[in-house]
Amino acid sequence: MADNSIHVVVADDHPLIRVAVESALDTVPALVHVGSAADSTELITLLDAHPCDVLVTDFAMPGGAHGDGLPLLQMLRERYPELQIVVFTGLDQAAIVQALFEAGISHILSKADDVSHIAAAVMAAHVGRRYLSPSIAPLLPSRGTQRPTLALSPREREVLTLFVAGWSVNAIAEKLDRRKQTVSTQKVNGMAKLGIERDADLFKYAVELGLSATAP
């Protein structure tokens, strides 16, 4: 008889969240919990030892040797091409959700939504069907919308990267030999494209938005 079980690994740096996800998986007999990890180091060790069908992982999970956020997800997609990934996150920012979607992650859950979505998302991921929990779906442009997503110009990205690295608008203008007004406009336009309204959020989500590299 064919084994129709779906083998699932869980990754989250908060023990209570891991327990909640594991309990949600246990409600569906077809879902087999293979193991759990608290950071990227444990996750890679676990996946290397126990191949699985679906990974349910937090997005921001610091402390591991392989990082977290988009770089970790991209590594996982390259290292385990058959692995389906469900991202379970508390970072309900439009720019981050759109960046995940553009990176090929189409199963995204908000921690603000009911845990019943976890099992549903795992089953959807296993058959290659997109799944977005209720708080996540509105953060993505509707199909046919022409609004660019993370379409920063090179100069906008340059300005924002310097800004999150601690440079003031005046200092950036002097460094790049541009007018202060030009730099300010590029900063405002770049943030608008990212769906970020406040400087505090730009700093908070810099890593997830790919703006934390060494400043130019």
Side-chain angles (χ1 to χ4, degrees):
M1 181 179 295
D3 181 9
N4 295 319
S5 299
I6 303 173
H7 295 81
V8 186
V9 160
V10 176
D12 198 291
D13 56 330
H14 293 92
L16 292 179
I17 297 294
R18 291 199 301 273
V19 170
V21 175
E22 292 161 6
S23 297
L25 296 174
D26 288 342
T27 62
V28 179
L31 304 183
V32 178
H33 174 227
V34 174
S36 295
D39 58 33
S40 60
T41 304
E42 293 183 6
L43 177 58
I44 296 301
T45 300
L46 180 58
L47 291 175
D48 282 347
H50 302 284
C52 69
D53 301 305
V54 180
L55 164 67
V56 179
T57 182
D58 194 3
F59 183 68
M61 193 169 53
H66 305 284
D68 65 348
L70 285 175
L72 175 61
L73 293 171
Q74 290 164 352
M75 173 191 171
L76 291 170
R77 286 171 57 81
E78 292 172 2
R79 187 163 178 155
Y80 313 103
E82 300 302 317
L83 177 67
Q84 296 296 321
I85 300 174
V86 175
V87 172
F88 185 48
T89 180
L91 303 178
D92 298 350
Q93 289 287 318
I96 294 173
V97 173
Q98 291 167 23
L100 282 169
F101 205 72
E102 287 194 341
I105 306 297
S106 57
H107 317 102
I108 310 171
L109 307 178
S110 169
K111 290 182 178 178
D113 291 326
D114 194 276
V115 293
S116 63
H117 291 283
I118 294 171
V122 168
M123 292 185 286
H126 187 58
V127 297
R129 181 168 54 82
R130 184 173 89 167
Y131 195 100
L132 306 172
S133 69
S135 295
I136 296 295
L139 301 180
L140 284 171
S142 60
R143 188 173 299 178
T145 298
Q146 298 301 312
R147 192 183 83 181
T149 304
L150 293 181
L152 295 177
S153 72
R155 292 195 169 193
E156 289 166 349
R157 180 169 291 278
E158 187 177 39
V159 166
L160 292 180
T161 301
L162 283 167
F163 187 74
V164 299
W167 295 63
S168 68
V169 169
N170 286 338
I172 295 171
E174 183 176 349
K175 176 179 177 60
L176 301 179
D177 193 23
R178 298 176 198 164
R179 297 173 61 231
K180 175 185 174 183
Q181 293 85 347
T182 299
V183 169
S184 180
T185 298
Q186 290 167 341
K187 173 179 173 289
V188 170
N189 289 345
M191 290 176 64
K193 288 181 179 180
L194 294 173
I196 297 290
E197 297 180 356
R198 303 183 305 161
D199 288 352
D201 288 334
L202 186 63
F203 285 107
K204 184 176 181 179
Y205 300 114
V207 173
E208 290 83 357
L209 296 172
L211 299 173
S212 61
T214 302

